[in-house]
């Protein structure tokens, strides 16, 4: 092998087609306009090179939208980008022909932007007019992957006419996989250009950029300025890596009218930019909990974060950054805190709404009462701004209550390993937490009582006012105690015997609508009224103490007015006493002896009914013919039965229950 051949074999071969294929730019809605962004970025750099500090006065970039068959509603197939920049001089030409060129490294250029053209478009044509050593030159060529050499039909010659210095880039047609993702509306394309080049617009260093679509056009600086209602800048220092020291960032806060939404999803966004280009967008709707903001309620928030740290770490496609997710999260968290300060006026409205809703939820569900003492602080420390609905707030309160309980349980378990000093402090803390928890549970029980009384009160009127039909007996019976239930099935929180007497709430044994033989030892009574007259049956229970009386309660249908001597409820309830006395003891479902019955066993009997004319008549002729002290009922004693009988109207037991519980209701703010 001769030296010349060896030199050729040892040279590095560059495959541009493979380089473009491996470019991290898949066809999707987020990337469809990236090639356009790259072309506009090159145009901005060109006008900056020519006009310097006067770029805002003299620099111009024009983007012409090209549509299929030039029909205004048809798909976008390409773009023409024109600028009055410095042009493709020999220096710029050499850079253009060099992949990954470092020529614009100081501006953050990666030398790969034009490769995105080849990724998305079948063909590109560049025509550039430039001044080379006092001579106006024109360069013209095609740029595509149709041949091994991507640069084709290149020509350079002195300009025959006095053409204006600048460059035209023709990008068309799209490859189909990119075309389907390209926005169709002029306003959408303009908004996305504003979003991508926000760093230029936010600091007012942008040349004039016009987007044309047929007879319509949008000038981006005016478009941005007209839709901006408020802006400010925060300068922030953050230490992201202890070895590198603090880094400085600039946070540009802007409120833009919703017409200028950059992205289809979400309202409020945080943009991170490197080298004057937005490389990452984070939606922050869920962290703000805000809809549209601004004085007219028609604005979205855009936060733009820039800084040399971001410039150094933007990736070559300018679609993200090269630092770790932890660093990104820290930057996001820091920027969000300043965003919330900027939007404090609107966020405070959310907080006020959350506090009001939480207060209402706590009133209705007082198991959460311990959270109410410092509700504003609790809400700000524990509720995300997106937690706004009653159901969401209820769930969050439940979650916090559960966590508080787990924390207390953990503290109790750890007491054994603590020192004496720590035990004293821990016991005080745990005791307070337990007291708060019990207060919440008690409050929940009180609120439940109020709801039951209101429901019972409403059930005592007419179910149908037109026909003057009362509610069925089962509805009222079921409110006080479920039909055909017993104390083995229910605990004291599942019945409402306290409506009759608070002492009954804690009785440990009762039977509702059960045959006597089922729970009275040595009794064969099968007395159980037909289901249609459920209230003709009785409810029996006993207290913990052996000298407590056995209590029998008989409910009568509301509004019933057909009582006679044969249906005298006083005689009926004393008959139940006889059934009890016919047995020797009360037993539970397993046959265990609950309490013996003998002649010294006392019975207290209640008849609950509406005081109709026939009821008053039979009551006056019975043993229970003595008016109660308040004149709203009757009572009497049967010495042979060792029983007292009291006849009470429904409205009295409800009003008495309300009076007994009124202090609790008032203390909880329920009255």
């Amino acid at each position: 092998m001769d030296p010349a051949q060896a030199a050729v074999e040892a040279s590095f071969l560059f495959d541009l087609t493979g380089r473009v294929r491996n470019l991290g730019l898949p066809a999707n809605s987020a990337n469809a306009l990236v090639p356009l962004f790259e072309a506009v970025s090159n145009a901005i750099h060109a006008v900056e090179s020519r006009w310097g500090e006067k770029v805002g006065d003299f620099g111009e970039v024009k983007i012409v939208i090209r549509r299929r068959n030039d029909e205004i509603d048809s798909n976008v197939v390409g773009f023409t980008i024109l600028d009055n920049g410095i042009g493709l001089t020999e220096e710029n030409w050499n850079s253009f022909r060099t992949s990954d060129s470092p020529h614009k490294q100081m501006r953050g250029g990666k030398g790969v932007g034009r490769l995105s053209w080849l990724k998305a478009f079948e063909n590109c044509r560049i025509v550039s007019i430039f001044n080379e050593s006092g001579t106006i030159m024109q360069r013209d060529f095609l740029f595509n992957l149709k041949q091994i050499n991507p640069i084709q039909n290149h020509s350079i010659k002195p300009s025959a006419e006095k053409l204006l210095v600048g460059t035209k880039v023709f990008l068309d047609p799209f490859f189909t996989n990119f075309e389907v993702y390209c926005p169709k509306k002029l306003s959408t394309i303009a908004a996305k250009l504003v979003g991508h080049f926000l760093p230029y617009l936010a600091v007012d260093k942008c040349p004039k950029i016009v987007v044309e679509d047929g007879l319509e056009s949008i000038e981006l600086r005016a478009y941005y300025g007209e839709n901006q209602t408020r802006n400010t800048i925060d300068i922030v220092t953050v230490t992201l890596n202890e070895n590198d020291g603090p880094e400085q960032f600039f946070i540009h806060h802007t409120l833009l009218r919703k017409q200028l939404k950059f992205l289809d999803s979400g309202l409020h966004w945080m943009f991170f930019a490197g080298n004057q280009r937005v490389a990452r967008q984070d939606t922050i709707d869920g962290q703000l909990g805000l809809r549209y903001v601004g004085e007219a309620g028609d604005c979205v928030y855009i936060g733009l974060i820039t800084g040399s740290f971001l410039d150094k770490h933007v990736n070559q496609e300018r679609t993200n950054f090269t630092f770790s997710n932890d660093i990104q999260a820290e930057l996001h968290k820091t920027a969000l805190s300043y965003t919330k300060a900027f939007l404090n006026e609107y966020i405070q409205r959310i907080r006020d709404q959350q506090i009001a809703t939480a207060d209402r939820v706590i009133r209705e569900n007082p198991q959460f009462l311990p959270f109410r003492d410092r509700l504003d602080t609790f809400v700000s420390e524990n509720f995300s701004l997106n937690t706004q609905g009653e159901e969401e707030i209820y769930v969050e309160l439940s979650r916090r209550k559960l966590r508080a309980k787990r924390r207390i349980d953990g503290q109790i378990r750890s007491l054994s390993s603590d020192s004496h000093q720590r035990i004293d402090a821990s016991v005080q803390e745990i005791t307070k937490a337990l007291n708060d928890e019990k207060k919440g549970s008690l409050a929940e029980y009180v609120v439940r009582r109020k709801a039951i009384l209101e429901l019972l009160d409403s059930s005592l009127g007419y179910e149908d006012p037109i026909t003057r039909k009362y509610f069925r007996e089962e509805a009222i019976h079921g409110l006080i105690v479920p039909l055909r239930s017993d104390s083995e099935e229910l605990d004291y929180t599942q019945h409402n015997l306290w409506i009759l007497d608070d002492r009954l709430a804690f009785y440990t044994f009762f039977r509702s609508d059960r045959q006597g033989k089922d729970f009275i030892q040595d009794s064969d009574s099968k007395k159980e009224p037909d289901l249609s007259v459920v209230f003709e049956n009785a409810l029996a229970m006993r207290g913990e103490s052996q000298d407590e009386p056995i209590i029998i309660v008989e409910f009568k249908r509301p509004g019933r007015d057909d009582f006679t001597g044969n249906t005298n409820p006083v005689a009926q309830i004393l008959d139940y006493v006889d059934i009890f006395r016919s047995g020797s003891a009360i037993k539970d479902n397993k046959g265990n002896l609950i309490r013996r019955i003998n002649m010294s066993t006392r019975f207290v009997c209640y008849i609950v009914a509406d005081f109709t004319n026939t009821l008053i008549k039979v009551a006056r002729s019975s043993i229970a013919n003595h008016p109660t002290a308040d004149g709203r009922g009757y009572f009497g004693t049967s010495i042979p039965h060792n029983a007292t009988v009291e006849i009470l109207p429904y409205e009295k037991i409800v009003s008495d229950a309300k009076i007994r519980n009124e202090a609790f209701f008032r203390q909880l703010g329920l009255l």
Side-chain angles (χ1 to χ4, degrees):
M1 184 181 294
D2 61 42
Q5 184 181 3
V8 171
E9 290 178 349
S11 64
F12 184 81
L13 301 178
F14 181 75
D15 182 359
L16 183 61
T17 302
R19 178 73 173 88
V20 171
R21 184 178 58 249
N22 295 327
L23 191 66
L25 197 72
N28 55 43
S29 56
N31 293 332
L33 292 179
V34 168
L36 172 63
F37 297 156
E38 293 295 342
V40 173
S41 179
N42 288 343
I44 292 174
H45 289 163
V47 296
E48 286 177 334
S49 296
R50 182 181 180 189
W51 301 105
E53 292 297 322
K54 297 181 180 180
V55 66
D57 299 322
F58 301 107
E60 294 183 7
V61 177
K62 182 163 71 172
I63 303 156
V64 180
I65 298 174
R66 306 183 66 144
R67 295 184 181 273
R68 190 176 303 282
N69 302 323
D70 294 327
E71 295 177 2
I72 194 64
D73 294 326
S74 61
N75 279 3
V76 174
V77 295
F79 303 94
T80 300
I81 301 93
L82 307 89
D83 68 68
N84 66 345
I86 196 171
L88 274 174
T89 62
E90 193 66 23
E91 181 183 12
N92 290 337
W93 171 243
N94 290 333
S95 174
F96 185 92
R97 293 184 298 130
T98 305
S99 176
D100 300 275
S101 168
H103 178 60
K104 294 193 291 183
Q105 192 169 12
M106 294 299 293
R107 286 175 169 164
K110 304 294 184 180
V112 298
R114 61 205 174 283
L115 301 186
S116 68
W117 305 350
L118 303 177
K119 184 86 171 180
F121 293 96
E122 293 183 28
N123 193 42
C124 312
R125 181 187 174 198
I126 297 91
V127 178
S128 185
I129 310 298
F130 58 95
N131 188 327
E132 192 72 63
S133 303
T135 301
I136 302 300
M137 304 294 291
Q138 177 174 317
R139 190 187 303 277
D140 191 342
F141 62 96
L142 298 178
F143 185 54
N144 57 50
L145 292 176
K146 295 178 180 179
Q147 299 180 23
I148 295 177
N149 183 359
I151 297 175
Q152 301 153 33
N153 301 337
H154 175 257
S155 67
I156 181 170
K157 59 185 178 181
S159 176
E161 304 176 13
K162 291 185 178 180
L163 299 177
L164 296 177
V165 171
T167 300
K168 297 179 182 178
V169 176
F170 303 88
L171 304 176
D172 73 272
F174 265 123
F175 287 117
T176 303
N177 59 335
F178 274 86
E179 178 184 331
V180 295
Y181 288 110
C182 183
K184 292 184 179 181
K185 290 185 178 180
L186 166 64
S187 59
T188 303
I189 294 173
K192 290 185 179 294
L193 282 162
V194 169
H196 189 78
F197 293 102
L198 191 61
Y200 285 101
L201 294 161
V203 298
D204 200 22
K205 290 184 178 181
C206 190
K208 180 180 180 181
I209 303 177
V210 178
V211 188
E212 289 186 358
D213 186 15
L215 299 178
E216 294 184 75
S217 66
I218 294 177
E219 200 276 296
L220 296 191
R221 290 186 305 189
Y223 193 40
Y224 176 75
E226 291 166 0
N227 288 288
Q228 180 185 218
T229 64
R230 179 185 165 201
N231 67 82
T232 190
I233 300 175
D234 283 317
I235 302 175
V236 182
T237 300
V238 184
T239 300
L240 299 171
N241 189 323
E242 295 181 359
N243 298 327
D244 297 336
E247 299 283 353
Q248 190 176 74
F249 296 90
F250 299 86
I251 305 176
H252 304 261
H253 306 284
T254 307
L255 292 187
L256 294 176
R257 291 190 177 89
K258 58 186 178 184
Q259 294 91 322
L260 197 51
K261 276 183 62 179
F262 307 144
L263 299 164
D264 298 329
S265 62
L267 298 178
H268 311 291
W269 290 84
M270 193 178 289
F271 289 1
F272 295 84
N275 303 123
Q276 304 298 311
R277 308 274 295 282
V278 171
R280 178 187 174 97
Q281 308 92 20
D282 291 348
T283 179
I284 52 176
D285 289 358
Q287 294 163 294
L288 295 181
L290 297 171
R291 295 297 296 167
Y292 292 110
V293 295
E295 292 184 5
D298 64 345
C299 292
V300 297
Y301 168 83
I302 299 297
L304 172 67
I305 298 90
T306 62
S308 59
F309 182 82
L310 296 175
D311 294 341
K312 290 183 290 187
H313 290 87
V314 67
N315 67 9
Q316 66 174 9
E317 294 86 9
R318 296 183 183 86
T319 56
N320 214 324
F321 296 92
T322 58
F323 44 68
S324 68
N325 290 335
D326 289 341
I327 289 179
Q328 178 63 49
E330 183 62 28
L331 279 176
H332 182 103
K333 178 182 176 182
T334 300
L336 185 65
S337 66
Y338 284 88
T339 295
K340 289 180 177 179
F342 176 77
L343 297 172
N344 182 64
E345 172 187 353
Y346 312 105
I347 289 175
Q348 191 55 49
R349 294 176 192 172
I350 297 294
R351 288 301 190 200
D352 292 343
Q353 174 191 329
Q354 286 179 318
I355 291 169
T357 304
D359 185 66
R360 184 167 62 253
V361 170
I362 291 172
R363 284 175 178 272
E364 296 171 357
N365 303 274
Q367 65 267 34
F368 304 127
L369 203 59
F371 300 136
R372 195 178 178 191
D373 290 343
R374 297 171 61 246
L375 189 56
D376 54 345
T377 302
F378 175 80
V379 166
S380 63
E381 291 179 352
N382 294 282
F383 286 10
S384 74
L385 289 165
N386 209 36
T387 303
Q388 297 180 25
E390 280 195 17
E391 184 174 332
E392 294 170 314
I393 287 177
Y394 181 93
V395 170
E396 192 60 39
L397 288 169
S398 299
R399 183 181 293 115
R400 298 297 167 180
K401 187 174 187 294
L402 177 61
R403 290 177 182 175
K405 183 179 183 303
R406 287 175 174 172
R407 186 168 58 252
I408 294 170
D409 292 343
Q411 289 173 328
I412 292 174
R413 287 194 298 269
S414 66
L415 278 179
S416 59
S417 60
D418 286 346
S419 64
H420 291 297
Q421 292 79 7
R422 288 197 58 188
I423 286 178
D424 290 341
S426 297
V427 167
Q428 292 179 10
E429 180 183 353
I430 293 170
T431 300
K432 181 182 183 306
L434 287 173
N435 286 338
D436 287 342
E437 182 182 358
K438 297 307 178 186
K439 288 177 184 176
S441 299
L442 176 60
E444 180 182 16
Y445 184 61
V446 170
V447 169
R448 180 177 175 275
R449 281 193 170 197
K450 185 173 187 296
I452 291 295
L453 287 175
E454 290 175 348
L455 185 57
L456 178 59
D457 202 7
S458 66
S459 300
L460 296 178
Y462 291 123
E463 182 179 13
D464 186 343
I466 296 177
T467 61
R468 301 177 71 84
K469 178 183 178 182
Y470 286 92
F471 279 90
R472 291 180 60 83
E473 296 89 335
E474 291 92 333
I476 298 172
H477 192 312
L479 277 175
I480 297 176
V481 63
L483 280 70
R484 295 179 178 82
S485 61
D486 57 49
S487 51
E488 280 88 335
E489 298 172 358
L490 304 176
D491 63 26
Y492 74 91
T493 64
Q494 294 174 291
H495 65 70
N496 299 297
L497 296 172
W498 53 267
I499 294 174
L500 303 174
D501 190 322
D502 279 308
R503 292 173 296 176
L504 302 187
F506 304 101
Y507 269 48
T508 59
F509 180 87
F510 66 83
R511 293 289 184 271
S512 173
D513 302 290
R514 297 290 176 86
Q515 293 181 355
K517 67 183 184 65
D518 291 338
F519 63 95
I520 301 175
Q521 188 165 294
D522 301 327
S523 172
D524 58 359
S525 174
K526 296 181 180 180
K527 279 201 172 181
E528 182 178 3
D530 189 83
L531 291 175
S532 62
V533 285
V534 172
F535 277 83
E536 299 298 330
N537 232 3
L539 172 74
M541 70 293 287
R542 74 164 182 87
E544 284 284 358
S545 173
Q546 290 297 311
D547 62 356
E548 286 289 328
I550 293 175
I551 297 173
I552 303 173
V553 181
E554 176 73 13
F555 296 101
K556 295 300 177 184
R557 175 171 50 84
R560 178 176 173 178
D561 195 15
D562 61 354
F563 293 102
T564 66
N566 293 329
T567 57
N568 188 331
V570 176
Q572 183 183 14
I573 206 164
L574 290 176
D575 188 38
Y576 282 117
V577 174
D578 288 335
I579 292 173
F580 273 88
R581 291 197 180 281
S582 68
S584 59
I586 296 174
K587 60 184 179 180
D588 63 15
N589 289 340
K590 297 179 180 179
N592 298 318
L593 184 68
I594 299 298
R595 178 179 176 180
R596 295 192 179 279
I597 300 175
N598 52 46
M599 290 307 298
S600 64
T601 302
R602 294 185 299 119
F603 288 83
V604 174
C605 306
Y606 293 101
I607 299 168
V608 184
D610 278 346
F611 272 33
T612 58
N613 291 332
T614 57
L615 178 64
I616 294 173
K617 183 177 180 179
V618 297
R620 287 174 176 171
S621 62
S622 71
I623 62 163
N625 58 4
H626 303 288
T628 56
D630 59 7
R632 297 165 68 190
Y634 291 94
F635 74 95
T637 302
S638 173
I639 295 176
H641 293 88
N642 194 10
T644 59
V645 179
E646 191 166 354
I647 308 174
L648 302 172
Y650 280 106
E651 55 87 15
K652 174 176 169 60
I653 65 170
V654 173
S655 63
D656 285 354
K658 287 181 177 179
I659 291 171
R660 293 197 306 272
N661 290 274
E662 181 178 356
F664 299 109
F665 298 161
R666 196 174 301 281
Q667 187 65 32
L668 287 178
L670 300 175
L671 294 178

